Each structure stands twice: as structure tokens, then as C-alpha cells.
Amino acid sequence: MWAAGARRPGLVLAALAALGLALEVLVARRRRPVREVLFFPSRPSCTEALLAEAVSPDDTPGPCPCPLPRGDCAFSRLLRHLLSARRSLELCLFAFSSPQLGRAVRLLHRRGVRVRVVTDAQYMALKGSQIGLLRHAGIQVRHDQESGFMHHKFAIVDRKMLITGSLNWTTEAIQNNRENILIMEDAEYVQPFLEEFERIWEIYDPHKYMFFSKENK
Amino acid sequence: MWAAGARRPGLVLAALAALGLALEVLVARRRRPVREVLFFPSRPSCTEALLAEAVSPDDTPGPCPCPLPRGDCAFSRLLRHLLSARRSLELCLFAFSSPQLGRAVRLLHRRGVRVRVVTDAQYMALKGSQIGLLRHAGIQVRHDQESGFMHHKFAIVDRKMLITGSLNWTTEAIQNNRENILIMEDAEYVQPFLEEFERIWEIYDPHKYMFFSKENK
């Protein structure tokens, strides 16, 4: 073949150019994985437009009358990634009381996304918790029965994007605490969290609930 | 050159083999970055050997008389990564009361590692907190003066390895809670955390302390 190449260098060069072009198309098609770090506190911001867009992507929402500023911030970025879910959403959350995040999760459920929630038994009953509203909407929720806390704070979107960090899903944490979130699509990080979710989901199967309080353990 | 290759295919093959070998050596030299996910609770384990090895790497430590099991577990892996620090350690921790992790950090400080700690003002004063012992050992500690929590739980080893997750550095969290830690050397994740540490370190400069309690804010 090299001998043939030596005789017809034009042909070889054309073949190489075609190969280069094909590689370029392949690389362009393979979107760069999301790798993002968000820090909080995030300034309060209006998220109505984001939520409205998620309900009906084709309609242009009217302006929201609330006085909060619009635009990009750590919280709006978190919400946007969450609302990108199309098929599944796994949530493993110690505390979940943010009304905006609660609305987003119920919206995804209504849109047909399979939502599963794991939470801490003690914190899910606190005032302001979103867990009751999620259950009321028909979303599957399971909780621990352990003496320690179910202290994770992670979400997995469409089994490929992991959202994890120090941030509990509460307005207090979002607006007042110093917190971090990593948003990542590296399979090496996402896969162990997916497996851990499935493991916890099975351990917290309601058929295994014993109906005694943590204080008695 | 191809024409020459066609005349002396043996030479071309030898050159290709040498190139392959050189590439292989280069790849082997460039150590694969650490990418690890740890889940807790971790079983209680004896970490005396790990700590003794960190004090004098050349001595073989005698067996520890405690009844705890030895061997690999999530906590021993966390400790090992922490003890790998040679030059610097940045800690940004909401709660720090684990005596074993406290010993490890003081040991690194004695070994000449530049340790800097940022913590939450309310939690650093709680019973069992390691912060007083760190300060007593001469380690620099700075804390918030904010109404929200300094809720981060991350460490940066030698400015290249990030340890972050849901885990507060308390024995309770390590042994009883469901928690996660990511250990990563990807610059895309490490760099923003380094910058955030430096930013917070400056904000919490003691010259800026106002000496009023959070309750009055």
C-alpha cells in the first residue's frame, strides 16, 4: 500500500483529508461534558421565566411582576440544569424545603420524568419541608430509619449528570450560607453515585420499615 | 519520504515501534489523576499505623493494642489522601471535631506543611471541636462573622487535590451518617475551589473582625 501511495501521493493526501474531516465532525458531535462549580450564597433572583419556559418551551412567558432581579446566578444555573431532565431524576437530599426547587421537581414529574426521592426521616417532617407536597403530587419518596442522618445532598439527571456538594435544598442555604455545588458528567463520578442511590433506594424499601422512632434506637 | 519508506519498509516499521515505545513511556510517567468517590458511614478502624507511618516513614510501627479492625475503608482512604500533603493544606470546614483527623492535621503542620483553616464561628466553639487544639499548635485559623453558615466541607492538598462532599469532619458523621466525598485532581474542579478559599481567607482576615455576636446581626 505504501508503494501504491508513493506512486499516487495525491490519492493518499485526499484520503487523509477525508479522514481528518470525519474526525472533526465526530469530535464536534460529541458535546463536551458539563463540568461546572457553583458557589453560594446566590443572590435572590426571579426564576419565573425559567419555570414557565420549562412548562411550555414554545410560549414566550409574559414579564413577571415581582421586584426580584433576573439574569444568571448560581441558583438559576442549578435550576436550569435540574430542569434539563428528560427521562429520570434521582434525588438524595437531607433537607428539601426550597419552594422554587420543589416546584421544579413537581413540574418535571408532571412532564413525565421518573422522579425518585430519598430523604432523612427527621428532616422530612420539619415545617416548610417540600416532601409532603412531592408525595401529594404522586412522586415516590423513601426515607431512612437509621440513627445517623441521611446526609447526602445530590441529584442525578437522566442518569448522566451529577449535581452534588454541601448545599441542602433550602432557601436559607441558597441565599445565606457559603456553599458549593459540583455539576459533572464524568462517568467516573456519576456511576458510583448512581449505584449508591440504587443501593439506598432498596435499603429504604417501605416493606422494610419498622415503624419505630429514632429516639428508641 | 513515503517513496523511501516503500523502498525500506523495515526502517519505517522500526521508527514506528520506537515512536510507540516513547509514547508509552510518556503516558506511564504522567500519573493518572486521582478520581475517587467514597461513601460513608465507614466502619470504625484503627488508624494508628497510618499516623505512625506519616510521622516516621522509615520506621515499621509496632502493633497497636486497640481492638479496632485494620485495613482499607472509606475513612482510612480519606486519611491517607490527607496525609499525602507535602507543601500545603487548605481546610474549609463547617464542623471539625474528629480527633483522628485533628491529629493528622497537627502532624502535617509539624512536618512543615503550610496549613490554613477556615471554619464557622458558631461551630468552632462547640464541645469536642478540634479548632482550639489546631490554634494551640500554631495553625492559622480564620472564621466567619456572617449570619449564614460557613457550610463548606472541603480540603485542598498541595494545591492539586480536592477533597469535597457532604461529610463534616466529625466522628458522628464518619461512623453513623450516609455521606459522600469526592477526591479529585481535575484542574477544572480544583482551581475554582482554590480561588474560593483564597477569597474567603481574605474576607475573614482578623483585621476585619467586628467582635459582635451573630445574634446581634
Side-chain angles (χ1 to χ4, degrees), chain A residues 170-191:
Chain A
T170 72
T171 305
E172 179 66 22
I174 293 162
Q175 294 183 5
N176 288 319
N177 289 359
R178 291 196 185 268
E179 307 270 6
N180 63 76
I181 275 189
L182 292 153
I183 300 169
M184 36 175 54
E185 289 184 332
D186 314 77
E188 278 173 281
Y189 299 125
V190 181
Q191 197 54 35

Short mmCIF file of all heavy atoms in Angstrom, two decimals, chain A residues 170-191:
data_model
loop_
_atom_site.label_atom_id
_atom_site.label_comp_id
_atom_site.label_asym_id
_atom_site.label_seq_id
_atom_site.Cartn_x
_atom_site.Cartn_y
_atom_site.Cartn_z
N THR A 170 -32.46 24.22 50.70
CA THR A 170 -33.29 25.13 51.50
C THR A 170 -32.99 26.57 51.06
O THR A 170 -31.87 26.87 50.63
CB THR A 170 -32.98 25.01 53.00
OG1 THR A 170 -31.69 25.59 53.27
CG2 THR A 170 -32.94 23.55 53.45
N THR A 171 -33.99 27.44 51.18
CA THR A 171 -33.80 28.85 50.80
C THR A 171 -32.72 29.48 51.65
O THR A 171 -31.90 30.28 51.17
CB THR A 171 -35.14 29.62 50.94
OG1 THR A 171 -36.12 28.94 50.17
CG2 THR A 171 -35.02 31.04 50.46
N GLU A 172 -32.69 29.13 52.95
CA GLU A 172 -31.68 29.64 53.87
C GLU A 172 -30.27 29.33 53.34
O GLU A 172 -29.41 30.22 53.27
CB GLU A 172 -31.89 28.98 55.25
CG GLU A 172 -30.91 29.37 56.33
CD GLU A 172 -31.03 30.83 56.75
OE1 GLU A 172 -32.09 31.43 56.52
OE2 GLU A 172 -30.03 31.36 57.29
N ALA A 173 -30.03 28.08 52.96
CA ALA A 173 -28.71 27.68 52.47
C ALA A 173 -28.38 28.38 51.14
O ALA A 173 -27.26 28.87 50.95
CB ALA A 173 -28.66 26.17 52.28
N ILE A 174 -29.37 28.45 50.25
CA ILE A 174 -29.15 29.05 48.93
C ILE A 174 -28.81 30.54 49.04
O ILE A 174 -27.91 31.03 48.37
CB ILE A 174 -30.41 28.86 48.04
CG1 ILE A 174 -30.60 27.37 47.71
CG2 ILE A 174 -30.32 29.68 46.75
CD1 ILE A 174 -32.00 27.01 47.24
N GLN A 175 -29.52 31.25 49.93
CA GLN A 175 -29.37 32.71 49.98
C GLN A 175 -28.43 33.23 51.06
O GLN A 175 -27.99 34.37 50.98
CB GLN A 175 -30.76 33.36 50.14
CG GLN A 175 -31.64 33.14 48.93
CD GLN A 175 -32.99 33.84 49.02
OE1 GLN A 175 -33.25 34.57 49.97
NE2 GLN A 175 -33.84 33.61 48.05
N ASN A 176 -28.14 32.41 52.09
CA ASN A 176 -27.34 32.94 53.21
C ASN A 176 -26.04 32.21 53.51
O ASN A 176 -25.14 32.79 54.12
CB ASN A 176 -28.18 32.94 54.50
CG ASN A 176 -29.25 34.00 54.47
OD1 ASN A 176 -29.01 35.11 54.02
ND2 ASN A 176 -30.43 33.65 54.92
N ASN A 177 -25.95 30.93 53.18
CA ASN A 177 -24.74 30.17 53.57
C ASN A 177 -23.65 30.23 52.51
O ASN A 177 -23.93 30.43 51.33
CB ASN A 177 -25.09 28.69 53.76
CG ASN A 177 -25.92 28.44 55.00
OD1 ASN A 177 -26.23 29.37 55.74
ND2 ASN A 177 -26.28 27.20 55.21
N ARG A 178 -22.42 29.97 52.95
CA ARG A 178 -21.34 29.69 51.99
C ARG A 178 -21.41 28.20 51.67
O ARG A 178 -21.27 27.36 52.56
CB ARG A 178 -19.98 30.03 52.60
CG ARG A 178 -19.81 31.52 52.77
CD ARG A 178 -18.38 31.94 52.98
NE ARG A 178 -18.36 33.37 53.24
CZ ARG A 178 -18.21 34.30 52.30
NH1 ARG A 178 -18.04 33.96 51.05
NH2 ARG A 178 -18.22 35.59 52.61
N GLU A 179 -21.66 27.89 50.40
CA GLU A 179 -21.89 26.51 49.98
C GLU A 179 -21.25 26.28 48.61
O GLU A 179 -20.90 27.24 47.93
CB GLU A 179 -23.40 26.24 49.82
CG GLU A 179 -24.27 26.58 51.02
CD GLU A 179 -24.41 25.43 52.00
OE1 GLU A 179 -23.76 24.39 51.81
OE2 GLU A 179 -25.19 25.58 52.96
N ASN A 180 -21.14 25.02 48.24
CA ASN A 180 -20.65 24.68 46.90
C ASN A 180 -21.50 23.59 46.28
O ASN A 180 -22.12 22.79 46.98
CB ASN A 180 -19.19 24.24 46.95
CG ASN A 180 -19.00 22.97 47.75
OD1 ASN A 180 -19.32 21.88 47.28
ND2 ASN A 180 -18.52 23.09 48.99
N ILE A 181 -21.50 23.59 44.96
CA ILE A 181 -22.11 22.51 44.18
C ILE A 181 -21.21 22.20 42.99
O ILE A 181 -20.70 23.12 42.34
CB ILE A 181 -23.51 22.93 43.65
CG1 ILE A 181 -24.58 22.67 44.69
CG2 ILE A 181 -23.85 22.15 42.40
CD1 ILE A 181 -25.97 22.87 44.13
N LEU A 182 -21.02 20.93 42.73
CA LEU A 182 -20.34 20.49 41.52
C LEU A 182 -21.40 19.93 40.57
O LEU A 182 -22.29 19.18 41.01
CB LEU A 182 -19.34 19.37 41.84
CG LEU A 182 -18.13 19.75 42.67
CD1 LEU A 182 -17.63 18.55 43.45
CD2 LEU A 182 -17.03 20.28 41.77
N ILE A 183 -21.29 20.29 39.31
CA ILE A 183 -22.19 19.72 38.29
C ILE A 183 -21.30 19.04 37.27
O ILE A 183 -20.45 19.67 36.65
CB ILE A 183 -23.06 20.81 37.66
CG1 ILE A 183 -23.90 21.48 38.76
CG2 ILE A 183 -23.98 20.23 36.59
CD1 ILE A 183 -24.60 22.73 38.35
N MET A 184 -21.46 17.72 37.14
CA MET A 184 -20.46 16.96 36.39
C MET A 184 -21.07 15.81 35.59
O MET A 184 -22.02 15.18 36.04
CB MET A 184 -19.42 16.42 37.36
CG MET A 184 -20.00 16.00 38.71
SD MET A 184 -18.82 15.22 39.85
CE MET A 184 -17.55 16.42 39.92
N GLU A 185 -20.49 15.57 34.43
CA GLU A 185 -20.96 14.45 33.61
C GLU A 185 -19.88 13.38 33.45
O GLU A 185 -20.05 12.49 32.62
CB GLU A 185 -21.42 14.97 32.23
CG GLU A 185 -22.72 15.75 32.30
CD GLU A 185 -23.23 16.18 30.94
OE1 GLU A 185 -22.41 16.36 30.02
OE2 GLU A 185 -24.45 16.35 30.80
N ASP A 186 -18.79 13.47 34.21
CA ASP A 186 -17.74 12.45 34.13
C ASP A 186 -18.30 11.13 34.68
O ASP A 186 -18.69 11.06 35.85
CB ASP A 186 -16.53 12.83 35.00
CG ASP A 186 -16.12 14.27 34.82
OD1 ASP A 186 -16.79 15.16 35.38
OD2 ASP A 186 -15.14 14.50 34.11
N ALA A 187 -18.28 10.10 33.84
CA ALA A 187 -18.87 8.81 34.26
C ALA A 187 -18.20 8.27 35.52
O ALA A 187 -18.85 7.63 36.34
CB ALA A 187 -18.75 7.81 33.12
N GLU A 188 -16.90 8.56 35.69
CA GLU A 188 -16.19 8.04 36.86
C GLU A 188 -16.77 8.56 38.18
O GLU A 188 -16.62 7.95 39.21
CB GLU A 188 -14.71 8.42 36.80
CG GLU A 188 -13.89 7.51 35.93
CD GLU A 188 -12.47 8.03 35.76
OE1 GLU A 188 -12.28 8.95 34.95
OE2 GLU A 188 -11.57 7.53 36.45
N TYR A 189 -17.38 9.74 38.13
CA TYR A 189 -18.02 10.28 39.34
C TYR A 189 -19.52 9.95 39.38
O TYR A 189 -20.07 9.67 40.43
CB TYR A 189 -17.83 11.80 39.41
CG TYR A 189 -16.38 12.23 39.47
CD1 TYR A 189 -15.85 13.13 38.55
CD2 TYR A 189 -15.53 11.73 40.45
CE1 TYR A 189 -14.52 13.52 38.60
CE2 TYR A 189 -14.20 12.12 40.51
CZ TYR A 189 -13.70 13.00 39.59
OH TYR A 189 -12.39 13.38 39.63
N VAL A 190 -20.16 9.99 38.21
CA VAL A 190 -21.62 9.81 38.18
C VAL A 190 -21.99 8.37 38.54
O VAL A 190 -22.91 8.12 39.33
CB VAL A 190 -22.19 10.15 36.78
CG1 VAL A 190 -23.70 9.97 36.76
CG2 VAL A 190 -21.82 11.58 36.38
N GLN A 191 -21.26 7.39 37.98
CA GLN A 191 -21.63 5.98 38.13
C GLN A 191 -21.67 5.52 39.60
O GLN A 191 -22.67 4.91 40.02
CB GLN A 191 -20.66 5.12 37.31
CG GLN A 191 -21.15 3.70 37.06
CD GLN A 191 -22.53 3.63 36.43
OE1 GLN A 191 -22.88 4.48 35.60
NE2 GLN A 191 -23.34 2.65 36.84
#
